[in-house]
Amino acid sequence: MSPSFVLAAALLLAPALGAPAPAPAPQVTLPASFGPDSQVSASVQPSTTGYRPEYLENGYSSATYHGPYTGTPTTLGAADGPTTLAASIPALPPNPTATYYNTEGVPLNPMPAPYTPAGGLGTNGTLPRYMVESDFDFESIALGLYQEWIELDLFHDGLARFSDAEFDAAGLGPEARSLIQFMADQETGHSTLLTNMLGERAPQQCVYDYPYTTVREWVDFMQRVTRFGESGVWGFINHLDSREVGQLLAQSIATEARQQQIFRQMSGLTPMNVWFENGWPQSWSWTHLAPYISYCPENTTRLAWQNFPTLHILNNANINRYSPNDTAQDGSETVGPRIADPSRSNITGSCENLNVTGYGCGPAIARNKSEPLSFPGKKILFQWDAPGQAVGPNQSYVTSTTAGAPKFVGWSQQLNLTYSPLTVTSNDTGYTYQPEGFVYGNEGIINGTMAVMLTDVDLFVTPFNVSLLNPHIVALGLYQAG
């Protein structure tokens, strides 16, 4: 058996996992070499961040420290290449070779083998190579690994931070906690897989700064984190040069989609309220993720993606209210100022323990809301940050925009990116009205946890080229519809 075949097979194998009981978090063992195809070696160094697991009385573990970065960054800005060839990617006409159309309903070309229609990529029998194949691949998978690392830590942290009594009060008993533990264990496999596909410069796990103080806020935060984690992969996966990497990534992100649905159920939200999941460019995902990374080990691989200024949605619906339209209009019902911070749970008018159909929001398989979180025509209030703010690991990335003055609000969900006009009321505030639009039939576009942004133009983009909008984004936010 050839070494290349062993490498290909090894990356596809995963340990069988049964139903776990609460147990200390497994520690990821990074590989010391990456096989014959990559022609690189690696030496695993101990972390210098102070990240050490702490085992608590309830049997779960978490890092010994979560909190803000207090040092001085030694590097500023995103990773850059030897040179930059243009200010933006131009919009071009359709690919002149993309002309296939089948009017017969049967194969039109000779078949290379029985039961094998002509065409496809990676179908000629070549041995797969499960490694990134370009700078685009490397930066995309490195971003994905940053995401898997925070999820590995985040899922463990709440289990260790909150008591059994607090979980029981939130409606999450031992079986629910066991499920979350299993989802945390899934992240062990995901982070190992992405590390293998990157090689020796794969980013390491960092230290994180979380916004929640209650079980419900933790679960709400996880449904937001898994939203941008999932959408961030759907946005780039079919642009990867390595089809083999895309194959394995799809098999991991399908699991993340299930996690996002489960956390919505645990938050008392409708588990599925769209016909299609939305894909995001990498810079949108990185903008949402970076504010929660406190600091990373020395010489951790940096990312090339952009950090946009934050768009604050001042009256973003509080998912914990039985009457979401009573959410305060000044941003005070979000736990903090960061882009994906959850709704406050300690409020008057909570739906958490309300056993009334259409109004309760305790954990459940499915929930319908008599009063929706949002609706077409709802006035949405915005405030946005200026560019130039330090964010991310070691406060070493800087928010930026190349856009002009904001004129539109972009709503990215399902297969669509639609716009509504922005009314500017000051240098950094304004409002719009949630637009009405449909995907197919009567299926409304705007629903679920989704990206919203201010733009200087209403540029027409589609799911495969939505990144063309990046140069026109003034600020980016996370909208809670439903």
Side-chain angles (χ1 to χ4, degrees), residues 11 28 30-31 34 130-132 137-149 151 186-203 229 233 236-237 240 244-253 256:
L11 285 171
V28 176
L30 299 179
F34 298 92
Y130 294 98
M131 295 291 292
V132 292
D137 287 11
F138 185 92
E139 293 292 336
S140 300
I141 301 303
L143 170 63
L145 183 53
Y146 269 95
Q147 178 78 28
E148 303 296 356
W149 281 136
E151 290 170 355
Q186 289 175 322
E187 300 308 322
T188 301
H190 297 174
S191 56
T192 300
L193 173 68
L194 269 60
T195 296
N196 289 343
M197 294 191 297
L198 286 167
E200 65 180 69
R201 287 312 305 267
V233 168
F236 72 72
I237 191 168
L240 292 170
E244 300 96 322
V245 168
Q247 174 68 47
L248 299 190
L249 187 61
Q251 292 178 235
S252 68
I253 208 61
E256 182 126 347

Side-chain angles (χ1 to χ4, degrees), residues 164-346:
D164 290 351
E166 289 173 295
F167 274 107
D168 291 340
L172 299 174
E175 291 174 309
R177 300 197 289 275
S178 178
L179 176 58
I180 297 173
Q181 172 70 43
F182 180 73
M183 290 190 283
D185 293 342
Q186 289 175 322
E187 300 308 322
T188 301
H190 297 174
S191 56
T192 300
L193 173 68
L194 269 60
T195 296
N196 289 343
M197 294 191 297
L198 286 167
E200 65 180 69
R201 287 312 305 267
Q204 302 177 52
Q205 191 167 30
C206 301
V207 172
Y208 307 97
D209 184 15
Y210 298 135
Y212 47 80
T213 58
T214 68
V215 171
R216 277 192 68 82
E217 290 169 1
W218 174 55
V219 175
D220 182 11
F221 183 59
M222 289 192 292
Q223 71 92 6
R224 296 169 194 249
V225 168
T226 50
R227 170 74 282 129
F228 61 75
E230 180 191 348
S231 287
V233 168
W234 294 139
F236 72 72
I237 191 168
N238 284 311
H239 292 285
L240 292 170
D241 287 289
S242 173
R243 309 300 291 179
E244 300 96 322
V245 168
Q247 174 68 47
L248 299 190
L249 187 61
Q251 292 178 235
S252 68
I253 208 61
T255 302
E256 182 126 347
R258 289 163 171 80
Q259 293 173 348
Q260 210 271 336
Q261 176 177 307
I262 289 168
F263 291 136
R264 288 183 63 85
Q265 291 173 310
M266 291 180 174
S267 298
L269 296 168
T270 303
M272 292 188 295
N273 51 9
V274 292
W275 288 6
F276 306 94
E277 297 301 341
N278 192 231
W280 295 8
Q282 296 94 326
S283 291
W284 298 13
S285 180
W286 182 230
T287 296
H288 282 77
L289 171 59
Y292 302 97
I293 305 176
S294 178
Y295 60 96
C296 294
E298 187 177 0
N299 296 322
T300 293
T301 295
R302 299 178 63 76
L303 296 180
W305 308 112
Q306 185 175 4
N307 298 91
F308 293 105
T310 297
L311 175 62
H312 306 277
I313 304 163
L314 300 181
N315 59 338
N316 219 0
N318 188 331
I319 69 167
N320 302 301
R321 282 196 173 278
Y322 61 76
S323 180
N325 289 315
D326 290 339
T327 299
Q329 306 289 293
D330 59 0
S332 61
E333 292 200 27
T334 301
V335 302
R338 288 179 285 179
I339 189 169
D341 281 357
S343 300
R344 291 192 182 277
S345 64
N346 293 325

